[in-house]
């Protein structure tokens, strides 16, 4: 999540311009210091800045909120009273044992608002209910070999009804919207997946956002699936303390997202960070080099398990690092880790990254092994003239894409920076 505006910016070019989506207003934003304004007419913006500060730092006393946001103590007092009356923040137990009166931390009220996230993947559908504290309340899942548009949207409609029913009439009024995370090329790479061309081609003609919008009167937003996962990491994971990073998500196909100066960068076509399509070598005569997704995706690992007569579902749990799966997993890592390291090295040279964050829909044991192998591969590169980025494990896991989707409408309603996730690059 982002800072509200520039440190020390004036009112014309600072927070107001950022909130209005000014193209250059976000440059140099201070991630951990969301800034408000004490001028009249900034009520909603300042409320969002206060909510942003609490989300970034966790429960905070009012004095600390004032310090972080550059708002006066009186302004913060008024805003907190208003947010508490609206059910968006709640009091935590007083902090005792210090000099003076005990301070009372203010926290986000998980019951203050809700949103729904839909992940449409190549192998599964996830529909999540997310609360205001970005915690998953309910999860509905459907597995398949490949999504069939004739039945998939009926499944989504049924799950939306179930989640709304679970909220009940009163809490249902607090539902802010629906966010969708889906691959930009859902019908792509059909030969690699073994999908009939005519079946895959149907997705090129479908407007996913419009299909879902017909199911609800709530706002609907669509984002590339790995970019949505990056959003989740940016808001609720490691991204809260890292300004610029390449995000790598290992799933059926490996993909990624790109955060620069604490903003998700979408690129000209919304496909920035698409490391799965990065080439594994130079283009010479004959066949073109393989793409990273051909070796570093879970589809490849599952195929290797199947060829060895092993349960392909082991990639999602601890069995991946146990016998009899371990030798096959190690063979996959020997292919995947150098490929991910190559992508990370090239990205670091181009973008001067602070970190590379790796996550995926595999077990945490396999994630740890992947990080270790990628780190070893990165150590073999010549880093002269470059700053080697730190390597970090993602904090969200398999839910990252659906959680990121759910965050889109939630932050459209409550973030001081409305275009944070879907911002056009300039």
């Amino acid at each position: 999540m982002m800072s509200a505006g520039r440190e020390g910016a004036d009112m014309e070019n600072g927070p107001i311009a950022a909130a209005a989506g000014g193209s250059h207003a976000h440059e140099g934003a201070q991630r951990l210091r969301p800034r408000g304004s004490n001028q009249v007419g900034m009520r909603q913006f300042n409320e969002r800045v206060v909510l942003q500060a609490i989300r970034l730092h966790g429960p905070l006393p009012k004095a600390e909120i004032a310090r972080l946001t550059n708002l006066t103590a009186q302004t913060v007092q008024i805003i907190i009273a208003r947010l508490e009356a609206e059910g968006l923040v709640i009091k935590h137990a007083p902090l005792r044992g210090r000099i003076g009166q005990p301070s009372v931390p203010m926290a986000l009220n998980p019951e203050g608002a809700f949103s729904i996230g839909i992940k449409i993947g190549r192998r599964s559908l996830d529909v999540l209910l997310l609360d205001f504290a970005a915690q998953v309340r309910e999860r509905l899942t459907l597995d398949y070999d490949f999504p069939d548009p004739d039945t998939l949207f009926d499944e989504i409609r049924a799950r939306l009804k179930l989640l709304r029913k679970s909220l009940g009439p009163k809490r249902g009024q607090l539902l802010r919207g629906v966010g969708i995370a889906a691959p930009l090329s859902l019908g792509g790479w059909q030969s690699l997946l073994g999908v009939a061309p005519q079946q895959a081609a149907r997705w090129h003609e479908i407007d996913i956002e419009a299909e879902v919008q017909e199911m609800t009167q709530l706002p609907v937003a669509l984002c590339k699936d790995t970019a949505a996962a990056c959003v989740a990491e940016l808001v609720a994971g490691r991204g809260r303390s890292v300004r610029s990073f390449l995000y790598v998500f290992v799933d059926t196909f490996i993909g990624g997202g790109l955060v620069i100066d604490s903003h998700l960068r979408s690129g000209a076509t919304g496909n920035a960070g698409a490391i799965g399509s990065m080439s594994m070598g130079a283009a010479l005569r004959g066949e073109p080099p393989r793409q990273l997704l051909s070796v570093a995706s879970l589809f490849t690992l599952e195929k290797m398990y199947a060829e060895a007569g092993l349960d392909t579902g082991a990639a999602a749990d601890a069995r991946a690092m146990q016998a009899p799966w371990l030798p096959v997993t190690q063979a996959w890592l020997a292919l995947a880790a150098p490929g991910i390291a190559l992508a990370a090295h090239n990205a670091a040279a181009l973008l001067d990254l602070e970190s590379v964050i790796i996550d995926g829909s595999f077990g945490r044991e396999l994630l740890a092994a992947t990080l270790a192998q990628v780190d070893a591969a990165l150590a073999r590169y010549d880093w002269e003239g470059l700053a080697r980025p730190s390597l970090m494990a993602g904090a969200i896991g398999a839910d990252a894409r659906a959680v990121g989707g759910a965050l889109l409408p939630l932050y459209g309603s409550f973030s001081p920076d409305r275009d944070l996730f879907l911002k056009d690059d300039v």
Side-chain angles (χ1 to χ4, degrees):
M1 203 165 60
M2 284 299 299
S3 150
R6 297 183 198 172
E7 234 10 87
D10 61 30
M11 289 302 297
E12 180 180 356
N13 297 315
I16 291 180
S23 59
H24 297 283
H26 309 295
E27 300 304 320
Q30 298 297 307
R31 159 166 287 283
L32 298 181
R33 294 294 298 273
R35 310 294 284 193
S37 167
N38 293 298
Q39 294 194 13
V40 178
M42 295 291 293
R43 169 177 167 172
Q44 184 186 71
F45 181 78
N46 284 341
E47 287 179 354
R48 294 182 176 203
V49 166
V50 168
L51 290 171
Q52 183 106 314
I54 297 172
R55 189 175 294 280
L56 283 170
H57 296 273
L60 294 171
K62 295 171 190 174
E64 184 66 8
I65 294 173
R67 185 186 72 81
L68 288 169
T69 62
N70 202 34
L71 293 167
T72 66
Q74 181 181 11
T75 299
V76 170
Q77 181 79 24
I78 294 171
I79 289 174
I80 288 296
R82 202 155 51 220
L83 294 174
E84 192 174 9
E86 294 172 357
L88 295 174
V89 299
I90 53 176
K91 291 185 176 76
H92 273 199
L95 299 174
R96 304 184 185 277
R98 302 179 182 180
I99 298 176
Q101 292 292 324
S103 58
V104 179
M106 303 304 299
L108 298 180
N109 180 7
E111 295 282 319
F114 299 90
S115 63
I116 292 175
I118 300 171
K119 182 224 61 179
I120 301 175
R122 291 183 171 87
R123 309 289 286 278
S124 65
L125 167 75
D126 292 321
V127 185
L128 307 182
L129 178 66
L130 205 70
D131 66 23
F132 195 44
Q135 298 300 307
V136 177
R137 290 295 189 91
E138 298 205 35
R139 177 188 296 101
L140 302 172
T141 300
L142 174 68
D143 294 324
Y144 41 68
D145 292 330
F146 189 77
D148 181 356
D150 288 338
T151 60
L152 185 68
F153 292 106
D154 289 336
E155 297 286 354
I156 291 174
R157 181 179 290 104
R159 283 160 176 75
L160 289 178
K161 290 181 179 179
L162 285 173
L163 292 183
R164 296 205 66 158
K165 183 177 180 180
S166 71
L167 282 173
K170 185 176 180 180
R171 293 196 305 166
Q173 296 177 9
L174 302 177
L175 196 54
R176 293 291 176 159
V178 178
I180 310 165
L184 290 185
S185 301
L186 192 53
W189 295 280
Q190 66 266 19
S191 59
L192 189 61
L193 288 170
V195 178
Q198 61 272 22
Q199 183 183 7
R202 295 185 58 196
W203 282 104
H204 300 312
E205 305 167 358
I206 294 173
D207 185 335
I208 295 175
E209 185 174 356
E211 292 283 345
V212 175
Q213 186 65 76
E214 288 184 0
M215 305 175 192
T216 178
Q217 294 181 342
L218 294 168
V220 175
L222 174 68
C223 185
K224 183 180 77 167
D225 58 343
T226 51
C230 188
V231 165
E233 193 67 45
L234 177 62
V235 170
R238 302 277 194 171
R240 288 178 294 181
S241 59
V242 181
R243 289 181 58 83
S244 297
F245 61 90
L246 174 67
Y247 178 79
V248 179
F249 193 83
V250 184
D251 190 49
T252 302
F253 286 159
I254 190 173
L258 180 63
V259 171
I260 301 295
D261 292 333
S262 300
H263 270 73
L264 178 72
R265 299 296 173 173
S266 59
T269 65
N271 203 29
I275 65 165
S277 296
M278 292 184 72
S279 294
M280 300 294 295
L284 304 174
R285 291 182 179 180
E287 292 294 322
R290 291 186 297 175
Q291 293 183 329
L292 177 61
L293 62 80
S294 69
V295 296
S297 298
L298 293 186
F299 174 80
T300 303
L301 176 58
E302 291 169 2
K303 185 178 179 181
M304 294 169 68
Y305 284 159
E307 291 172 349
L310 301 172
D311 182 2
T312 60
D317 55 51
R319 292 177 296 164
M321 301 306 298
Q322 300 170 0
W325 290 270
L326 181 57
V328 181
T329 302
Q330 290 174 330
W332 176 77
L333 285 169
L335 296 172
I340 296 172
L342 174 63
H345 180 270
N346 290 342
L350 183 64
L351 300 168
D352 192 20
L353 299 168
E354 184 178 344
S355 295
V356 175
I357 300 176
I358 301 177
D359 207 345
S361 54
F362 43 23
R364 298 296 89 178
E365 296 83 3
L366 181 49
L367 172 61
T370 302
L371 285 167
Q373 293 283 346
V374 172
D375 187 56
L378 285 172
R380 293 192 285 269
Y381 279 89
D382 184 351
W383 290 96
E384 187 172 1
L386 299 175
R388 178 176 169 176
S390 62
L391 194 61
M392 307 172 76
I396 311 300
D399 281 341
R401 292 157 296 175
V403 168
L407 286 170
L408 299 178
L410 199 61
Y411 278 72
S413 296
F414 297 106
S415 172
D417 190 0
R418 287 174 174 266
D419 64 347
L420 173 60
F421 307 134
L422 302 178
K423 177 178 182 294
D424 291 332
D425 288 338
V426 293

